[in-house]
């Protein structure tokens, strides 16, 4: 469980708060999507959970972030890393090895995974990310989507309880983006891993996440179950967050549906058929 | 498409050698090239580099580097030929003077450069970076931080090169004429691009360091490495050969 | 006008990055280029701009092959907005950044001043700020502004909305739309099908380096047979409309769909 109380953070040298008085609780097994306009504090929030803020990004930190019982300010960065696996935004610069096998081995060796377990955990992580066939490939020869899966597999091999991802589909096409989210859903549903993902593509979050947190200008604008948050679509559009077209459609015909919100095309189909019956 | 420093997967005898042997061999070729003054021996060394390239299945790549070095070699050669004034004069016109010594010095420099550069490329072509840092840490007791810095620097070369060509392309699109034939003008055009390159590089290095730390980099010790390296019979043969090269370098 | 005549491009000795492309983009068009990562969209866009030269066939700009045009000549005719604005920006202030492209094309000093001022006013930039101190979305707008200052006849945008939030995205595309209405030809490589539907008149669908489909935007999105081959998922309302084809007439926008539902409901009541 992650508990964030009264969190405010201002980067050293900045004249405004990147985060302002954030109150947020993420229960175990949640799949949380974080969305908001540029500069809203999404990355800062992710970094506060994995400990990069304030350990490696200096500034004024107020309030508290507790991850699995550990206060992130008191705990060592590496102790947090045993619980929280983080995939940062720029996938190229987080690769440490020249080939896929070594990339996965790196974290396992560092955290002292038993030597006889390493092979099994590498195979398991590659399978979970759907890239068993890439094991012996040179990283420079992989496509963007493949690299992203390697980055995820390298974290999955560490078997974290919580998985953080910062815009994992930023440069990927819609089909590959879906594949990435399917991996995340699998980890969330089958292994009960808590997943927190910053994402601009609201359509993906609407179909895969369980809860949504909307940040705006350093503040938590609204948070809750996906459908509840999507009901606020007008407010979201005001702050610059797009909504899926089916949500807009639901709003346009709310007089016919008693206010139901369809988050996906499948739900919209059922809703319209109901209306026309 | 592989860069000239990238690892080329394979199963040749060079690929199977212990990384330590390959490191020793390539260093010995370099040292030998600097010890000797004999043009013929230097030629033999270059030939041997190419032969090793064939053995490792990376001959094409070695040739590409060789042709890349050609421009620089011609430049260096001319420089030496024009500036060395001692020795028997072969040709004289105004202040222009070409001497036998000049030709020798120029040839020696160029061959030495070639003989010493090729083995390093060869080493990286047939050895994975992680194995290289692995033996440095495990067998040569180099602290992991230094080995990691070295391999990261090598790994980032193609990343920065890609960034640079991306920046050049973007500037070309605005009308900057990089296709100019004038090298001075070209350098003048390239200089202002250092700012965007530096900014993106610093950002990448920052993120890279954070990512490594989140994956337990600071916990790593010499014992962390799970791969073990061992000599095969061919290793001993290549090690003896390396020592012979040094001896030959001193002799000739 | 941009014309592709049996264009091939191979990188090194490998397979063709684009394969036998033939199509024409007339003046004043708004064309979207879509397809999966690695399908050859960006390669095609760079070929249009002459940043890449075809291995075989030719790319003609107003009848002249890109291989025969000088860098500055190409820059004058076609503006290219990259996915990553940071590679484009290199000057210490916004004003110098805007002037740079014009200086490169040897536009006279007073004309530069005039055009830069016009663009500054239009985009509401602070001329003395450093481009690197701006947010990502602002930098993308600045990169676009510096292209607009050159007044090219054609604009090519390579995934202009990557990394931008919805509002920034609309700011950039709103500007592009206005330019198009004023007569500029626009070619946009894009992953967001909702945007493609809203802005593009015509769509080129790429798959594995080949041109798979070429047609009017709404027609292309209704080609349920071919689109999956290019891993393209049509916009939401179009998909919804296809699922409801047995009860409702075709609709592609929220408004059309709403009207169709109300009409049908009214007819029943």
């Amino acid at each position: 469980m992650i508990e964030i109380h009264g969190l405010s953070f201002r980067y050293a040298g900045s004249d405004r708060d990147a985060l302002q008085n954030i109150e947020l609780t993420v229960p175990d097994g949640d799949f949380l999507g974080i969305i908001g306009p540029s500069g809203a504090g999404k990355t800062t929030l992710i970094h506060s959970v994995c400990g990069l803020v304030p350990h490696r990004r200096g500034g004024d930190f107020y309030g508290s972030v507790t991850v699995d019982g550990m206060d992130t300010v008191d705990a060592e960065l590496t102790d947090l890393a045993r619980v929280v696996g983080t995939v940062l935004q720029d996938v190229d610069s987080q690769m440490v090895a020249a080939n896929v096998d070594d990339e996965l081995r790196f974290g396992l060796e560092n955290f002292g995974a038993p030597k006889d377990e390493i092979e099994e955990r590498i195979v398991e992580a590659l399978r979970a990310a759907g890239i068993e066939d890439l094991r012996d490939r040179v990283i420079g020869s992989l496509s963007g989507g493949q690299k992203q899966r390697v980055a995820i597999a390298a974290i999955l091999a560490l078997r974290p309880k919580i998985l953080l991802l910062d815009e994992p589909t930023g440069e990927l096409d819609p089909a590959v983006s879906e594949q990435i989210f399917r991996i995340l859903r699998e980890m969330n549903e089958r292994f009960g891993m808590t997943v927190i993902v910053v994402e601009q593509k609201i359509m993906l979050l609407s179909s895969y996440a369980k809860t949504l947190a909307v940040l705006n200008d350093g503040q938590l604008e609204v948070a809750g179950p996906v459908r509840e948050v999507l009901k606020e679509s007008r407010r979201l559009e005001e702050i610059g967050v797009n909504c899926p077209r089916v949500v807009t459609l639901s709003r346009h015909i709310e007089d016919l549906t008693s206010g139901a919100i369809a988050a996906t095309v499948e739900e919209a189909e059922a809703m319209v058929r109901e209306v026309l019956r | 498409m592989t860069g000239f420093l990238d690892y080329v997967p394979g199963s040749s005898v060079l690929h199977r050698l212990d990384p330590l042997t390959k490191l020793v061999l390539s260093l010995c070729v370099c040292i030998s090239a600097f010890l000797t003054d004999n043009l013929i021996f230097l030629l033999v060394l270059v030939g041997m580099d190419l032969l090793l390239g064939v053995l490792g299945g990376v001959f094409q790549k070695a040739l590409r580097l060789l042709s890349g070095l050609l421009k620089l070699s011609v430049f260096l050669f001319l420089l030496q030929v024009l500036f060395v004034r001692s020795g028997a004069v072969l040709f004289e016109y105004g202040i222009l003077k070409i001497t036998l010594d000049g030709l020798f010095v120029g040839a020696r420099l160029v061959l030495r450069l070639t003989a010493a550069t090729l083995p390093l490329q060869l080493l990286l072509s047939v050895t994975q970076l992680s194995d290289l840092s692995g033996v440095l840490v495990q067998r040569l007791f180099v602290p992991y931080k230094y080995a990691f810095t070295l391999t990261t620097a090598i790994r980032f070369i193609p990343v920065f090169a890609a960034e640079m060509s991306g920046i050049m392309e973007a500037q070309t699109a605005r009308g900057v004429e990089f296709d100019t034939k004038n090298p001075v003008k070209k350098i003048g055009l390239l200089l202002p691009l250092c700012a965007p390159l530096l900014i993106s590089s610093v950002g990448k290095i920052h993120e890279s360091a954070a990512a490594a730390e989140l994956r337990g980099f600071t916990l790593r010790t010499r014992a962390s490495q799970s791969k073990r390296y061992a000599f095969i019979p061919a290793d001993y043969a290549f090690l003896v050969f390396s020592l012979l090269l040094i001896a030959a370098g001193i002799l000739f | 006008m941009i014309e592709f005549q049996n264009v091939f491009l191979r990188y090194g000795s490998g397979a063709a990055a684009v394969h036998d492309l033939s199509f024409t983009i007339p003046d004043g068009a708004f064309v979207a280029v879509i397809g999966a990562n690695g399908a050859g969209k960006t390669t095609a866009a760079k070929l249009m701009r002459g940043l890449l030269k075809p291995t075989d066939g030719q790319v003609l700009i107003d009848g002249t092959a890109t291989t025969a045009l000088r860098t500055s000549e190409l820059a004058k005719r076609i503006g290219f907005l990259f996915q990553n604005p940071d590679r484009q920006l290199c000057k210490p202030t916004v004003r110098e950044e805007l002037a740079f492209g014009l200086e490169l094309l040897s536009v006279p000093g007073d004309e530069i001043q005039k055009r830069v001022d016009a663009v500054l006013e239009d985009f509401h930039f602070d001329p003395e700020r450093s481009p690197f101190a701006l947010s990502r979305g602002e930098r993308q707008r600045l990169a676009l502004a510096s292209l607009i200052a050159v007044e090219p006849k054609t604009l090519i945008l390579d995934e202009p909305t990557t990394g931008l939030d919805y509002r920034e995205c609309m700011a950039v595309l709103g500007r592009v739309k206005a330019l198009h209405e004023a007569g500029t030809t626009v070619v946009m490589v894009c992953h967001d099908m909702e945007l493609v539907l809203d802005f593009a008149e015509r769509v080129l669908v790429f798959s594995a380096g080949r041109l798979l489909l070429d047609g009017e935007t709404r027609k292309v999105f209704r080609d349920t047979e071919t689109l999956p081959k290019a891993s393209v998922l049509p916009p939401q309302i179009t998909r919804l409309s296809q699922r409801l084809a047995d009860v409702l007439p075709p609709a592609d926008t929220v408004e059309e769909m709403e009207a169709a539902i109300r009409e049908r409901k009214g007819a029943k009541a």
Side-chain angles (χ1 to χ4, degrees):
Chain A
M1 185 154 96
I2 301 164
E3 282 175 281
I4 302 173
H5 286 304
L7 171 65
S8 294
F9 185 75
R10 176 180 293 203
Y11 287 100
S14 167
D15 55 3
R16 54 176 279 268
D17 288 345
L19 291 175
Q20 251 180 68
N21 201 20
I22 304 287
E23 292 285 337
L24 183 68
T25 303
V26 187
D28 285 338
D30 197 4
F31 190 140
L32 169 69
I34 300 176
I35 195 163
S38 313
K42 305 183 294 290
T43 296
T44 311
L45 186 59
I46 286 269
H47 286 183
S48 307
V49 175
C50 69
L52 282 178
V53 165
H55 287 278
R56 291 293 171 272
R57 306 275 187 266
D60 298 330
F61 184 100
Y62 299 98
S64 72
V65 179
T66 319
V67 176
D68 205 29
M70 285 182 282
D71 186 306
T72 56
V73 176
D74 301 334
E76 292 285 336
L77 203 52
T78 39
D79 289 330
L80 286 167
R82 285 177 199 276
V83 182
V84 185
T86 313
V87 180
L88 298 174
Q89 210 171 62
D90 180 2
V91 69
D92 274 313
S93 50
Q94 55 194 296
M95 298 285 156
V96 294
N99 70 24
V100 175
D101 181 78
D102 283 320
E103 189 63 37
L104 268 69
R105 210 170 277 275
F106 177 76
L108 288 169
E109 289 175 355
N110 291 349
F111 285 112
K115 297 246 152 61
D116 51 341
E117 241 183 53
I118 286 182
E119 173 63 23
E120 180 198 329
R121 285 170 72 166
I122 289 178
V123 171
E124 171 198 293
L126 288 172
R127 193 181 306 135
I131 48 169
E132 289 126 303
D133 53 327
L134 299 185
R135 183 166 180 174
D136 295 315
R137 289 278 293 275
V138 173
I139 285 179
S141 72
L142 302 177
S143 71
Q146 288 171 329
K147 273 186 208 161
Q148 191 59 258
R149 291 196 204 197
V150 171
I152 293 174
I155 295 299
L156 292 181
L158 305 175
R159 294 182 181 158
K161 276 176 77 172
I162 299 163
L163 187 58
L164 301 181
L165 304 101
D166 194 356
E167 299 206 24
T169 72
E171 303 198 342
L172 306 181
D173 67 44
V176 179
S177 305
E178 287 259 352
Q179 289 167 1
I180 299 286
F181 268 77
R182 258 180 245 134
I183 298 169
L184 302 183
R185 172 147 74 193
E186 172 96 358
M187 297 322 287
N188 177 253
E189 286 180 354
R190 272 195 43 206
F191 303 102
M193 209 178 266
T194 306
V195 176
I196 302 181
V197 54
V198 170
E199 177 61 61
Q200 288 285 5
K201 295 174 185 146
I202 181 91
M203 280 203 292
L204 281 174
L205 292 181
S206 304
S207 10
Y208 289 90
K210 291 176 181 164
T211 49
L212 277 183
V214 183
L215 285 177
N216 182 33
D217 205 14
Q219 299 185 35
L220 191 60
E221 188 79 24
V222 45
V226 172
R227 262 161 212 76
E228 296 297 311
V229 173
L230 289 177
K231 270 188 187 153
E232 310 272 333
S233 62
R234 273 197 190 88
R235 203 164 131 207
L236 299 188
E237 274 160 21
E238 266 164 40
I239 64 168
V241 172
N242 188 18
C243 278
R245 301 271 156 113
V246 289
V247 171
T248 314
L249 179 70
S250 317
R251 219 176 61 204
H252 278 225
I253 57 169
E254 62 193 354
D255 57 313
L256 306 174
T257 61
S258 65
I261 292 281
T264 64
V265 172
E266 291 72 22
E267 287 174 26
E269 181 190 0
M271 185 178 79
V272 174
R273 286 196 190 278
E274 182 67 33
V275 166
L276 295 178
R277 213 170 48 180
Chain B
M1 266 203 321
T2 53
F4 71 106
L5 287 179
D6 287 347
Y7 172 72
V8 180
S11 56
S12 73
V13 64
L14 288 188
H15 283 86
R16 280 180 285 124
L17 283 182
D18 189 291
L20 186 60
T21 310
K22 289 184 263 191
L23 185 64
V24 170
L25 175 62
S26 59
L27 287 179
C28 284
V29 178
C30 290
I31 294 169
S32 183
F34 280 96
L35 286 173
T36 185
D37 276 337
N38 186 311
L39 281 183
I40 295 172
F41 183 60
L42 279 172
L43 266 175
V44 169
L45 282 180
V46 172
M48 193 197 67
D49 286 340
L50 291 176
L51 206 66
L52 285 172
V54 174
L55 206 57
V58 290
F59 181 61
Q60 292 293 332
K61 230 175 114 186
L63 276 189
R64 260 197 298 162
L65 179 68
L66 210 56
S67 65
L69 281 174
L70 199 66
K71 252 193 212 163
L72 182 67
S73 300
V74 169
F75 177 71
L76 286 174
F77 182 74
L78 287 180
L79 213 64
Q80 294 294 326
V81 168
L82 294 179
F83 278 89
V84 176
R85 325 281 298 177
S86 63
V89 177
L90 295 176
F91 176 82
E92 197 163 5
Y93 181 82
I95 58 157
L96 196 70
K97 188 161 104 177
I98 295 176
T99 68
L100 199 59
D101 278 12
L103 285 182
F104 270 116
V105 172
R108 205 183 295 144
L109 180 79
V110 166
L111 283 176
R112 188 173 278 163
L113 176 82
T114 311
T117 317
L118 281 173
L120 295 178
Q121 182 212 25
L122 206 57
L123 172 69
L124 294 175
S125 300
V126 296
T127 320
Q128 307 233 31
L129 277 179
S130 53
D131 289 335
L132 205 56
S133 73
V135 290
L136 285 178
V137 174
Q138 236 179 66
R139 310 270 277 283
L140 299 178
F141 298 90
V142 173
Y144 184 71
K145 260 184 194 169
Y146 297 111
F148 186 77
T149 309
L150 177 74
T151 54
T152 304
I154 296 175
R155 206 169 42 78
F156 262 103
I157 292 173
V159 175
F160 289 154
E163 187 66 28
M164 191 63 199
S165 68
I167 291 173
M168 279 176 69
E169 187 175 49
Q171 297 299 330
T172 305
R174 303 179 74 179
V176 179
E177 301 197 298
F178 287 115
D179 39 5
T180 172
K181 293 273 184 293
N182 182 344
V184 179
K185 198 173 158 205
K186 187 163 178 176
I187 290 172
L189 292 174
L190 282 171
L191 278 181
L193 304 187
C194 292
L197 182 65
L198 205 68
I199 286 173
S200 83
S201 307
V202 169
K204 277 191 197 312
I205 290 167
H206 226 72
E207 181 118 339
S208 179
E213 199 171 354
L214 289 177
R215 281 160 68 196
F217 172 74
T218 48
L219 300 174
R220 197 173 179 97
T221 62
R222 205 179 139 245
S224 296
Q225 176 107 24
S226 60
K227 266 191 205 164
R228 290 279 172 262
Y229 303 96
F231 279 165
I232 55 173
D235 279 300
Y236 296 104
F238 273 95
L239 285 174
V240 170
F241 180 62
S242 306
L243 292 177
L244 287 177
L245 280 179
I246 295 280
I250 297 170
L251 276 175
F252 295 112
Chain C
M1 190 168 80
I2 301 173
E3 224 180 322
F4 273 53
Q5 295 179 342
N6 305 95
V7 171
F8 287 77
L9 184 100
R10 290 178 192 82
Y11 287 120
S13 56
V18 297
H19 196 96
D20 201 8
L21 299 179
S22 292
F23 58 84
T24 305
I25 297 173
D27 287 339
F30 196 133
V31 179
V33 181
I34 65 174
N37 284 132
K41 305 184 299 292
T42 296
T43 305
K46 287 181 180 170
L47 280 163
M48 283 178 207
R49 174 57 184 72
L51 289 169
L52 293 172
K53 311 285 180 192
T55 337
D56 239 316
Q58 43 180 356
V59 179
L60 304 175
I61 302 196
D62 297 329
T64 315
T66 50
T67 41
L69 287 165
R70 283 171 58 95
T71 307
S72 55
E73 191 53 41
L74 281 164
K76 220 173 281 177
R77 293 179 194 216
I78 310 181
F80 194 106
L81 186 67
F82 287 81
Q83 209 181 104
N84 182 353
D86 298 347
R87 291 176 168 177
Q88 213 160 327
L89 306 177
C90 62
K91 293 288 169 185
T93 68
V94 167
R95 178 181 287 281
E96 287 172 77
E97 194 62 58
L98 291 172
F100 183 54
L102 296 164
E103 286 161 12
L104 285 171
L105 303 180
S106 325
V107 175
D110 47 345
E111 173 72 15
I112 293 183
Q113 188 76 22
K114 216 178 79 195
R115 289 209 211 167
V116 169
D117 285 340
V119 172
L120 276 172
E121 181 157 339
D122 201 7
F123 278 78
H124 304 290
F125 282 124
D126 172 358
E128 301 313 318
R129 278 199 72 180
S130 161
F132 299 105
L134 301 171
S135 75
R136 165 83 193 239
E138 290 284 288
R139 293 203 298 274
Q140 187 69 281
R141 270 181 70 231
L142 176 60
L144 178 66
S146 70
L147 294 181
I148 291 174
V150 174
E151 299 174 2
K153 229 174 75 180
T154 304
L155 262 184
I156 300 175
L157 316 165
D158 188 9
E159 293 179 31
T161 61
T162 302
L164 302 193
D165 66 39
Y166 185 64
R167 191 181 290 168
E168 294 168 330
C169 180
M170 282 301 133
V172 168
L173 286 180
R175 178 67 52 176
V176 169
K177 191 175 181 187
L179 287 168
H180 170 240
E181 279 161 5
T184 308
T185 311
V186 180
V187 180
M188 173 171 79
V189 176
C190 191
H191 277 320
D192 188 328
M193 296 310 135
E194 311 287 344
L195 293 177
V196 170
L197 178 71
D198 289 352
F199 290 94
E201 296 157 351
R202 180 177 149 202
V203 175
L204 303 179
V205 185
F206 278 72
S207 173
R210 287 160 201 268
L211 181 61
L212 204 60
L213 268 180
D214 174 0
E216 195 253 321
T217 306
R218 290 183 179 218
K219 272 199 194 115
V220 167
F221 281 141
R222 296 202 161 262
D223 190 338
T224 43
E225 213 143 283
T226 322
L227 284 183
K229 287 182 206 151
S231 311
V232 168
L233 203 57
Q236 279 198 325
I237 301 295
T238 308
R239 271 187 285 151
L240 177 61
S241 159
Q242 280 156 3
R243 285 163 165 268
L244 292 166
D246 55 323
V247 286
L248 288 177
D252 294 300
T253 66
V254 171
E255 289 69 26
E256 288 169 17
M257 180 56 90
E258 183 191 356
I261 294 169
R262 290 197 188 279
E263 188 165 321
R264 174 80 198 211
K265 182 92 177 159
K268 276 196 156 180

